[in-house]
Amino acid sequence: MINLRQIISSLLLFYGLAVKGYGQELLPTTSYKYQVTRHVFDRLTYAFANTRPQPRLEIIARNLKKPQIIAQYRPGSQPVVQIDEEVYDLCLKLQSDSLNALAVLLSHELAHHYEKHEWYFTFGISQSYNKIPKESIQQFESEADFYGCFYGELSGFATGRVFPRILDLIYQHFNLANVLEGYPTKENRKAIYAAKQKDAIKMVSVFKAGLFLYLMQEFESAAMCFDYLVNQFPSREIINNLAAAKLQQALWLYTSQEQSSFVYPVELDAQSRLASLRRALPGEVSDKQYVQLLTDARKYAEKSREIDPTYVPAYINLACIYSLQGNQAAAIGVINELKPSNITGNAYSIRAIAYHKDNQLSKAQTDFELAFQKGAYQGKYNLELFNKLNESLAGTLTTWMRSWFAEEESASGFVKSVAKEQIGAPITNTSLPAQASRISISKTPHLVVQWNEQKDYSQLGIQNGTRNYLVHLTQDNYAKQTARKVKRGAHLETLKSKYGDPAYSFSGAKGEYLVYPNNKIAFIIDRSNRVNSWFVYGRIF
C-alpha cells in the first residue's frame, strides 16, 4: 500500500500536492459542496480570464481506499483543477473564512493554469520529481503565489490574510513534516507568500484606486491606474477598464458639444448623464485630443475582446467607440456579432443610438424599446429622448432634458444620514499615516496612491493634481452596518428605501455602482441586486 506521507513529501508543497491516482470517483456537479466550490471558482476565473479557456473543476470524493489529492492542476488538452473533498471539509473549520480558504487553494492552481505552467505530468508523479531543478519549482510556486493572491484579492477574497491559517491546517491534518525535500520550510513558505502578498496588495490597491477614481469621474487618473496594471496583469477586465476610462474622457468632450446626445452605455460602467450636465470640462478641448482618446480606447477594447471573444462589455465599449468615431455601420456590426441571447439592455442601447445616427429610425425605435425593457442604464431617458427628437424644437428639447435631470437630482439622496458614514476609523481631513505603503503612479500629472490594510476594511489615500481623497472600503468579512442600517447582503430595494435614489450610478459587467455624494458613500451591487460592499470617502485638505 502507498504510504501517503512518503508520497506527499516528494510532491509539490501544499498546492501541487497530489498522490498518484486517476479515474477517481468525483462528486457530482449537483452536490452542494461542488456548487459552493464552483461559485468561488467562477469568481476567480472571471478575474483571471485571458486567452486560455477556463479549466475543468473536479472534486475528488472521500474514499478511504483511494489515493488522496489535496489540490493540483493538470494541464493538457483538457486542463483540470482538482481538490479533495477532505480539503473542502478542512476549509470549513475556518468558519466565516471557509470561502477565503477555498479561494487560496483554487487561485493558486488557477495561476498555474493561466500562467502556462505546463509541468504536471513531470512533477505530479513522484518518480519524475528529481529530474526537475529545485529552482524551477520555486519559480513556479512563487509566480502562483503572487498571481493567485492578486486575482484572489481582486475577486473579493481575503487570500493573503487566510493563507497562513489554511497552510497550518493542511500541514497538521495531513501530518506533513515542516521540512519537505526540495521545498522551503513551512515558515519560509509563509514568509515567501507574505512578501508576494505585499506586492499583490499593492497592485490590488492601485486597482481599487482606479475604480474609485472612475466612480468619482476622475477618468484621467483612473486611466493612469489601469494603465499601470495592464503590463503585469493583461486580463480582459483591466484592459476593458482602461478602454472605458479613455472612452469616458472622450465622452466629456463629446457631450459638451452635442446638446441633444443620448447616454452612451459604456461598460465596465455607464456614464451618468446628470453628472455630464453639471461637470466642468477638464481643460482645453481640442479635436486632436478627442480623436486620440477614442483611438486609445479602441485599441484597448479590441485587445479585451481578443483576450475573450465572449466578453460582452468589450463589444459594447467598441460599439460606443465606433459610433463616436462616426462609423455607425461598424457599431451596429459589432453588436450583431453577439449571439441574440447575449445582447444585453446596454447592447441594445448602443445599437439603437447607432441606428438613429444612421437614420434607420424604425430599427432604432425597436432597440430603444428593447433596451428599456431589459433595464439598460438610462433606458427610459434614451427612449423618451428618441420620441422627443421627432417632435421638439431644439430650445424646448434642451429645456426638457434639463427638467428631466433636475427631477432626477431632486429625487436622489432624499434621505441624509443623521450620523456620519464610517468604516472603521472616522474619515478625517488628514492623510494616511506616514508609514502607510505608497506608490507613485505618475509624476506628471501627479498621482500617488497610499494604502493600509485593516482586519475587515482597507484604507486608501489618493493624491492627484486637483484633489486628494481618503477612502475606506469594506472587505468581504466586514460585519457592521452603514449609518442608515444597511449591511452586506441587503437587497437593492432596501438600500434605496434608506438612502433614496443615487445621485448617479454606473452599470458594470459584474453589477451596479451607486454613488451618493451627499452622504460620501458608494455601494457595489452584485448581479442578484444585493449589496456586496461599499466605501466611504472624504476630501483631504
Side-chain angles (χ1 to χ4, degrees):
M1 180 177 177
I2 297 175
N3 182 287
L4 173 62
R5 184 170 179 175
Q6 289 177 346
I7 295 293
I8 286 176
S9 67
S10 65
L11 299 178
L12 291 178
L13 173 62
F14 178 19
Y15 297 106
L17 294 173
V19 179
K20 289 191 299 182
Y22 302 96
Q24 306 97 330
E25 181 182 352
L26 305 178
L27 287 187
T29 57
T30 54
S31 74
Y32 175 75
K33 291 179 180 179
Y34 184 91
Q35 291 295 320
V36 171
T37 307
R38 183 84 215 184
H39 173 71
V40 176
F41 188 79
D42 286 344
R43 280 177 61 180
L44 291 167
T45 56
Y46 186 92
F48 267 104
N50 58 25
T51 54
R52 308 206 83 190
Q54 185 188 63
R56 189 168 71 249
L57 171 66
E58 295 179 349
I59 300 181
I60 311 301
R62 275 182 178 270
N63 186 335
L64 295 178
K65 296 181 180 180
K66 71 169 178 64
Q68 292 177 322
I69 286 178
I70 295 178
Q72 69 178 13
Y73 166 61
R74 290 171 50 188
S77 58
Q78 294 183 320
V80 180
V81 169
Q82 295 179 316
I83 68 168
D84 198 290
E85 182 183 7
E86 192 170 347
V87 176
Y88 176 98
D89 294 337
L90 195 61
C91 290
L92 294 179
K93 292 187 177 182
L94 295 186
Q95 299 179 349
S96 62
D97 276 327
S98 58
L99 294 183
N100 291 323
L102 273 175
V104 167
L105 290 156
L106 295 172
S107 65
H108 185 102
E109 299 308 325
L110 286 168
H112 284 311
H113 171 69
Y114 286 107
E115 293 305 308
K116 301 181 181 179
H117 295 169
E118 310 294 339
W119 46 263
Y120 167 79
F121 292 112
T122 302
F123 295 109
I125 301 174
S126 59
Q127 292 92 324
S128 302
Y129 166 76
N130 290 328
K131 298 178 182 179
I132 305 303
K134 174 182 176 181
E135 292 76 14
S136 297
I137 299 175
Q138 292 178 344
Q139 177 187 346
F140 287 140
E141 291 301 299
S142 180
E143 289 179 0
D145 283 346
F146 176 58
Y147 289 104
C149 183
F150 174 79
Y151 285 112
E153 295 279 347
L154 195 63
S155 303
F157 297 106
T159 46
R161 176 172 58 81
V162 172
F163 175 88
R165 297 172 62 197
I166 189 62
L167 183 63
D168 285 338
L169 277 178
I170 291 285
Y171 268 78
Q172 179 183 358
H173 183 81
F174 291 101
N175 296 316
L176 300 179
N178 284 336
V179 180
L180 298 176
E181 183 181 355
Y183 297 96
T185 66
K186 183 178 73 170
E187 294 307 314
N188 282 346
R189 180 65 183 243
K190 289 181 181 179
I192 292 169
Y193 192 92
K196 293 298 179 183
Q197 178 196 0
K198 287 183 179 180
D199 289 339
I201 294 299
K202 175 177 70 174
M203 298 302 176
V204 170
S205 298
V206 173
F207 181 87
K208 290 178 178 178
L211 176 60
F212 171 78
L213 289 164
Y214 190 103
L215 298 185
M216 293 297 102
Q217 302 163 62
E218 301 270 4
F219 297 124
E220 182 180 9
S221 293
M224 286 191 286
C225 289
F226 297 133
D227 188 49
Y228 182 87
L229 294 170
V230 290
N231 289 329
Q232 193 156 10
F233 303 98
S235 71
R236 63 180 187 184
E237 182 176 11
I238 293 175
I239 294 173
N240 183 67
N241 286 3
L242 178 54
K246 294 283 188 180
L247 179 51
Q248 291 283 23
Q249 291 178 72
L251 275 170
W252 287 127
L253 306 183
Y254 173 78
T255 54
S256 70
Q257 302 170 43
E258 182 81 11
Q259 294 303 314
S260 60
S261 63
F262 295 98
V263 176
Y264 275 78
V266 180
E267 287 200 3
L268 165 83
D269 305 295
Q271 182 184 0
S272 164
R273 177 65 183 181
L274 171 61
S276 69
L277 286 172
R278 295 183 303 170
R279 181 185 167 107
L281 285 172
E284 184 179 347
V285 177
S286 72
D287 290 340
K288 185 177 180 180
Q289 180 187 10
Y290 176 72
V291 170
Q292 187 60 52
L293 285 168
L294 288 178
T295 300
D296 291 344
R298 178 177 168 179
K299 176 179 68 175
Y300 294 120
E302 287 176 340
K303 180 63 176 177
S304 180
R305 184 178 63 166
E306 178 186 331
I307 289 173
D308 183 358
T310 67
Y311 188 48
V312 176
Y315 286 80
I316 293 173
N317 283 348
L318 194 53
C320 289
I321 294 161
Y322 279 131
S323 178
L324 289 168
Q325 289 178 327
N327 192 344
Q328 308 309 325
I332 294 165
V334 166
I335 300 303
N336 288 344
E337 291 178 25
L338 295 170
K339 294 180 180 178
S341 59
N342 290 338
I343 300 181
T344 62
N346 284 342
Y348 278 117
S349 186
I350 178 53
R351 192 170 69 178
I353 293 170
Y355 275 137
H356 179 267
K357 289 182 175 294
D358 202 40
N359 206 32
Q360 299 185 56
L361 300 186
S362 177
K363 291 181 178 180
Q365 181 172 5
T366 299
D367 272 6
F368 277 127
E369 290 172 351
L370 287 169
F372 173 58
Q373 293 168 16
K374 286 182 169 286
Y377 180 70
Q378 291 290 5
K380 184 178 181 181
Y381 165 79
N382 278 344
L383 176 59
E384 294 201 16
L385 176 58
F386 170 78
N387 292 329
K388 285 287 182 181
L389 285 170
N390 294 326
E391 64 186 44
S392 297
L393 297 175
T396 57
L397 181 61
T398 301
T399 301
W400 173 82
M401 290 171 59
R402 293 193 176 276
S403 173
W404 174 285
F405 289 107
E407 290 175 7
E408 180 182 273
E409 183 171 15
S410 64
S412 67
F414 67 85
V415 179
K416 284 193 176 184
S417 299
V418 175
K420 264 192 170 182
E421 296 293 348
Q422 183 174 327
I423 299 173
I427 295 284
T428 64
N429 291 335
T430 58
S431 59
L432 289 181
Q435 64 269 27
S437 302
R438 61 186 285 136
I439 183 172
S440 176
I441 304 296
S442 172
K443 293 184 178 179
T444 307
H446 178 70
L447 180 59
V448 172
V449 175
Q450 291 180 283
W451 65 95
N452 194 23
E453 293 293 311
Q454 303 295 328
K455 182 179 179 181
D456 55 0
Y457 72 97
S458 304
Q459 295 174 304
L460 288 177
I462 304 171
Q463 306 169 25
N464 66 13
T466 58
R467 297 176 178 86
N468 297 335
Y469 296 98
L470 187 61
V471 189
H472 289 186
L473 307 90
T474 63
Q475 294 180 357
D476 67 300
N477 62 332
Y478 190 80
K480 297 178 183 178
Q481 303 179 105
T482 69
R484 299 300 303 177
K485 310 299 182 185
V486 170
K487 61 182 180 180
R488 192 169 190 261
H491 195 273
L492 176 60
E493 293 305 316
T494 301
L495 168 64
K496 288 188 174 182
S497 72
K498 303 285 188 179
Y499 284 88
D501 291 327
Y504 55 94
S505 61
F506 298 81
S507 175
K510 293 189 289 186
E512 188 174 9
Y513 304 92
L514 310 182
V515 184
Y516 295 84
N518 289 339
N519 303 84
K520 296 293 188 293
I521 190 169
F523 295 90
I524 300 176
I525 310 299
D526 65 21
R527 290 175 176 173
S528 60
N529 283 332
R530 300 281 176 179
V531 174
N532 177 270
S533 57
W534 63 92
F535 59 76
V536 300
Y537 60 94
R539 292 279 298 277
I540 303 171
F541 299 99

